[in-house]
mmCIF file of all heavy atoms in Angstrom:
data_model
loop_
_atom_site.group_PDB
_atom_site.id
_atom_site.type_symbol
_atom_site.label_atom_id
_atom_site.label_comp_id
_atom_site.label_asym_id
_atom_site.label_seq_id
_atom_site.Cartn_x
_atom_site.Cartn_y
_atom_site.Cartn_z
ATOM 1 N N LEU F 137 31.243 9.007 -14.484
ATOM 2 C CA LEU F 137 30.517 9.110 -13.224
ATOM 3 C C LEU F 137 30.410 7.764 -12.534
ATOM 4 O O LEU F 137 30.531 7.659 -11.311
ATOM 5 C CB LEU F 137 29.120 9.696 -13.479
ATOM 6 C CG LEU F 137 29.077 11.156 -13.930
ATOM 7 C CD1 LEU F 137 27.648 11.559 -14.251
ATOM 8 C CD2 LEU F 137 29.651 12.067 -12.849
ATOM 9 N N GLY F 169 29.276 -28.943 -21.594
ATOM 10 C CA GLY F 169 29.621 -27.913 -22.564
ATOM 11 C C GLY F 169 28.444 -27.337 -23.308
ATOM 12 O O GLY F 169 28.634 -26.642 -24.325
ATOM 13 N N PHE F 183 22.566 -13.514 -19.692
ATOM 14 C CA PHE F 183 23.663 -14.112 -18.932
ATOM 15 C C PHE F 183 24.034 -15.420 -19.621
ATOM 16 O O PHE F 183 23.237 -16.357 -19.667
ATOM 17 C CB PHE F 183 23.220 -14.363 -17.489
ATOM 18 C CG PHE F 183 24.330 -14.784 -16.573
ATOM 19 C CD1 PHE F 183 24.876 -13.891 -15.666
ATOM 20 C CD2 PHE F 183 24.850 -16.080 -16.613
ATOM 21 C CE1 PHE F 183 25.913 -14.274 -14.818
ATOM 22 C CE2 PHE F 183 25.872 -16.468 -15.778
ATOM 23 C CZ PHE F 183 26.410 -15.556 -14.879
ATOM 24 N N ASN F 274 -2.668 -0.176 7.069
ATOM 25 C CA ASN F 274 -2.973 1.041 7.820
ATOM 26 C C ASN F 274 -1.754 1.957 7.770
ATOM 27 O O ASN F 274 -0.715 1.640 8.339
ATOM 28 C CB ASN F 274 -3.327 0.698 9.265
ATOM 29 C CG ASN F 274 -3.720 1.932 10.053
ATOM 30 O OD1 ASN F 274 -3.941 2.996 9.488
ATOM 31 N ND2 ASN F 274 -3.816 1.799 11.358
ATOM 32 N N THR F 288 6.192 -15.152 13.464
ATOM 33 C CA THR F 288 6.265 -13.734 13.793
ATOM 34 C C THR F 288 5.069 -13.332 14.637
ATOM 35 O O THR F 288 4.010 -13.960 14.585
ATOM 36 C CB THR F 288 6.297 -12.861 12.522
ATOM 37 O OG1 THR F 288 5.104 -13.107 11.750
ATOM 38 C CG2 THR F 288 7.517 -13.183 11.673
ATOM 39 N N GLY F 319 19.499 -4.669 -0.557
ATOM 40 C CA GLY F 319 20.674 -5.340 -0.055
ATOM 41 C C GLY F 319 21.567 -4.492 0.813
ATOM 42 O O GLY F 319 22.614 -4.956 1.265
ATOM 43 N N PRO F 340 7.382 3.935 -0.672
ATOM 44 C CA PRO F 340 5.973 3.652 -0.940
ATOM 45 C C PRO F 340 5.791 2.197 -1.336
ATOM 46 O O PRO F 340 6.673 1.583 -1.948
ATOM 47 C CB PRO F 340 5.648 4.596 -2.114
ATOM 48 C CG PRO F 340 6.717 5.634 -2.103
ATOM 49 C CD PRO F 340 7.931 4.982 -1.547
ATOM 50 N N LEU F 344 7.891 -0.916 -4.288
ATOM 51 C CA LEU F 344 8.566 -2.153 -3.913
ATOM 52 C C LEU F 344 8.316 -3.246 -4.940
ATOM 53 O O LEU F 344 7.169 -3.520 -5.295
ATOM 54 C CB LEU F 344 8.087 -2.619 -2.538
ATOM 55 C CG LEU F 344 8.595 -1.830 -1.328
ATOM 56 C CD1 LEU F 344 7.948 -2.352 -0.063
ATOM 57 C CD2 LEU F 344 10.103 -1.918 -1.234
ATOM 58 N N ALA F 356 25.269 -16.814 6.568
ATOM 59 C CA ALA F 356 26.091 -15.939 7.405
ATOM 60 C C ALA F 356 26.336 -14.580 6.774
ATOM 61 O O ALA F 356 26.828 -13.676 7.457
ATOM 62 C CB ALA F 356 27.429 -16.625 7.697
ATOM 63 N N GLN F 408 -6.540 12.828 6.253
ATOM 64 C CA GLN F 408 -5.290 12.149 5.906
ATOM 65 C C GLN F 408 -5.257 11.914 4.407
ATOM 66 O O GLN F 408 -6.166 11.319 3.846
ATOM 67 C CB GLN F 408 -5.159 10.819 6.642
ATOM 68 C CG GLN F 408 -3.918 10.019 6.226
ATOM 69 C CD GLN F 408 -3.749 8.740 7.021
ATOM 70 O OE1 GLN F 408 -4.098 8.694 8.197
ATOM 71 N NE2 GLN F 408 -3.219 7.715 6.391
ATOM 72 N N PHE F 434 14.289 4.558 -12.409
ATOM 73 C CA PHE F 434 13.033 4.403 -11.690
ATOM 74 C C PHE F 434 12.981 5.462 -10.595
ATOM 75 O O PHE F 434 13.941 5.639 -9.839
ATOM 76 C CB PHE F 434 12.920 3.007 -11.062
ATOM 77 C CG PHE F 434 11.613 2.791 -10.339
ATOM 78 C CD1 PHE F 434 10.478 2.421 -11.030
ATOM 79 C CD2 PHE F 434 11.528 2.987 -8.968
ATOM 80 C CE1 PHE F 434 9.271 2.237 -10.378
ATOM 81 C CE2 PHE F 434 10.323 2.810 -8.295
ATOM 82 C CZ PHE F 434 9.197 2.425 -9.006
ATOM 83 N N TYR F 437 7.695 8.955 -5.609
ATOM 84 C CA TYR F 437 7.453 10.023 -4.621
ATOM 85 C C TYR F 437 6.179 9.705 -3.872
ATOM 86 O O TYR F 437 5.203 9.192 -4.456
ATOM 87 C CB TYR F 437 7.325 11.389 -5.295
ATOM 88 C CG TYR F 437 6.694 12.424 -4.375
ATOM 89 C CD1 TYR F 437 7.458 13.068 -3.397
ATOM 90 C CD2 TYR F 437 5.335 12.724 -4.461
ATOM 91 C CE1 TYR F 437 6.879 13.986 -2.532
ATOM 92 C CE2 TYR F 437 4.750 13.649 -3.601
ATOM 93 C CZ TYR F 437 5.524 14.272 -2.636
ATOM 94 O OH TYR F 437 4.950 15.174 -1.777
ATOM 95 N N ALA F 445 -7.427 15.839 14.900
ATOM 96 C CA ALA F 445 -7.780 16.355 16.216
ATOM 97 C C ALA F 445 -7.512 15.279 17.261
ATOM 98 O O ALA F 445 -7.953 14.142 17.116
ATOM 99 C CB ALA F 445 -9.245 16.775 16.248
ATOM 100 N N HIS F 507 -7.070 32.184 69.632
ATOM 101 C CA HIS F 507 -7.251 30.757 69.473
ATOM 102 C C HIS F 507 -8.259 30.518 68.355
ATOM 103 O O HIS F 507 -9.337 31.100 68.344
ATOM 104 C CB HIS F 507 -7.736 30.125 70.785
ATOM 105 C CG HIS F 507 -7.941 28.637 70.678
ATOM 106 N ND1 HIS F 507 -6.905 27.756 70.458
ATOM 107 C CD2 HIS F 507 -9.078 27.898 70.744
ATOM 108 C CE1 HIS F 507 -7.376 26.526 70.407
ATOM 109 N NE2 HIS F 507 -8.714 26.594 70.581
ATOM 110 N N LEU F 524 1.488 36.393 41.285
ATOM 111 C CA LEU F 524 1.998 35.576 40.188
ATOM 112 C C LEU F 524 1.136 34.335 40.001
ATOM 113 O O LEU F 524 0.832 33.932 38.865
ATOM 114 C CB LEU F 524 3.446 35.176 40.471
ATOM 115 C CG LEU F 524 4.102 34.262 39.427
ATOM 116 C CD1 LEU F 524 4.096 34.911 38.051
ATOM 117 C CD2 LEU F 524 5.520 33.893 39.850
#
Side-chain angles (χ1 to χ4, degrees):
L137 292 175
F183 189 104
N274 183 12
T288 59
L344 286 176
Q408 175 176 327
F434 182 83
Y437 164 80
H507 180 65
L524 178 59

